[in-house]
Amino acid sequence: MKNKKNALDRSGLPGNRSLSIKPAKKMKKAIYLLMVPLIVVSGLVFANREIKNDTSKNPTPKPLSAAEIKAEREKWLATPEGMKYEKWEASPEGKKVFAGEAKIRKNISDFTNMEAVVTSLSLPAGSRLGFGIMVRINGDDYILSFGPEKSDKSFWSFNNEFRQLHDLKVNDNIIIRSHHLSHAPKYSYPIVSGDYVERDSKIIYKRPPHKGGC
């Protein structure tokens, strides 16, 4: 009987069943481990495709028409803030600001030179326009705003784009150009965006182009 059992064991049949089952279990486990990442990746691809499809289904909103803009403005003017603005617009202070804008509007639209004199090296108290100075153009005062300034002083000497503007002094004669003109009831002067400044025939500031622009 022992000889028969040993013979069966050596033949790898009944007596060696455990040896054949273990490799099978290991193979199934390996296949399962390979399948899980594929399922996860497939799910992510599918989810990404669904998101893209949903995004493509949402069309880009169309710009408002002139009539819609007018309707929105009238709606806003009916609010407390709108009524406050309308009151300022009709006030002597508001009219003075609009008159100042009218004087330089063509220069703004054509982006042509404007001769200015520096009247102050700081903006009115409480302003939130970033770095700027006060200038006089053709007898009227304007805020010349350049926007937020880097607060990291370690880059002051080399990388601060407003470095040369800080060298300006009161009564300096400069040439400025701007693409944008604005106003707000908070300020008693028109706000000119400083895009280009020249002093003594030398450019001391030129606004960097927007990312992606030319």
Side-chain angles (χ1 to χ4, degrees), residues 5-189:
K5 186 177 180 181
N6 290 337
L8 289 171
D9 288 345
R10 284 195 299 271
S11 66
L13 293 173
N16 215 21
R17 267 177 89 185
S18 60
L19 295 175
S20 62
I21 290 170
K22 285 182 180 179
K25 285 184 178 179
K26 289 182 180 178
M27 188 174 291
K28 286 181 180 178
K29 189 175 181 180
I31 292 171
Y32 173 76
L33 291 173
L34 288 170
M35 288 289 289
V36 169
L38 288 173
I39 292 169
V40 172
V41 172
S42 299
L44 290 173
V45 171
F46 179 76
N48 190 39
R49 188 177 299 167
E50 286 295 312
I51 291 168
K52 285 182 178 179
N53 289 338
D54 288 343
T55 305
S56 62
K57 287 177 185 177
N58 297 328
T60 305
K62 294 180 180 179
L64 296 176
S65 65
E68 288 171 329
I69 292 173
K70 184 179 178 181
E72 287 297 320
R73 175 179 166 79
E74 288 176 355
K75 191 188 295 183
W76 177 74
L77 288 174
T79 66
E81 282 299 316
M83 287 186 281
K84 183 180 176 182
Y85 173 82
E86 205 168 22
K87 185 177 179 181
W88 171 81
E89 197 175 31
S91 70
E93 190 177 56
K95 288 178 179 178
K96 183 182 177 183
V97 170
F98 285 111
E101 288 185 356
K103 283 187 176 182
I104 63 172
R105 194 174 301 283
K106 186 170 180 7
N107 297 91
I108 299 295
S109 60
D110 295 342
F111 195 60
T112 53
N113 289 349
M114 293 182 283
E115 295 181 2
V117 178
V118 178
T119 58
S120 174
L121 301 177
S122 60
L123 297 182
S127 65
R128 301 179 65 182
L129 299 169
F131 171 68
I133 59 176
M134 297 296 299
V135 298
R136 183 168 293 131
I137 305 170
N138 293 331
D140 284 327
D141 292 323
Y142 298 83
I143 290 173
L144 184 60
S145 172
F146 297 93
E149 184 173 23
K150 293 176 183 176
S151 59
D152 188 352
K153 301 299 181 182
S154 63
F155 290 92
W156 178 262
S157 300
F158 304 103
N159 296 333
N160 191 307
E161 59 179 316
F162 304 142
R163 182 174 57 85
Q164 294 186 78
L165 293 172
H166 283 279
D167 294 334
L168 288 171
K169 297 179 178 62
V170 173
N171 294 325
D172 273 355
N173 293 301
I174 57 176
I175 299 293
I176 63 177
R177 294 182 205 161
S178 174
H179 284 294
H180 188 65
L181 183 65
S182 60
H183 57 262
K186 181 179 179 178
Y187 304 103
S188 302
Y189 313 95

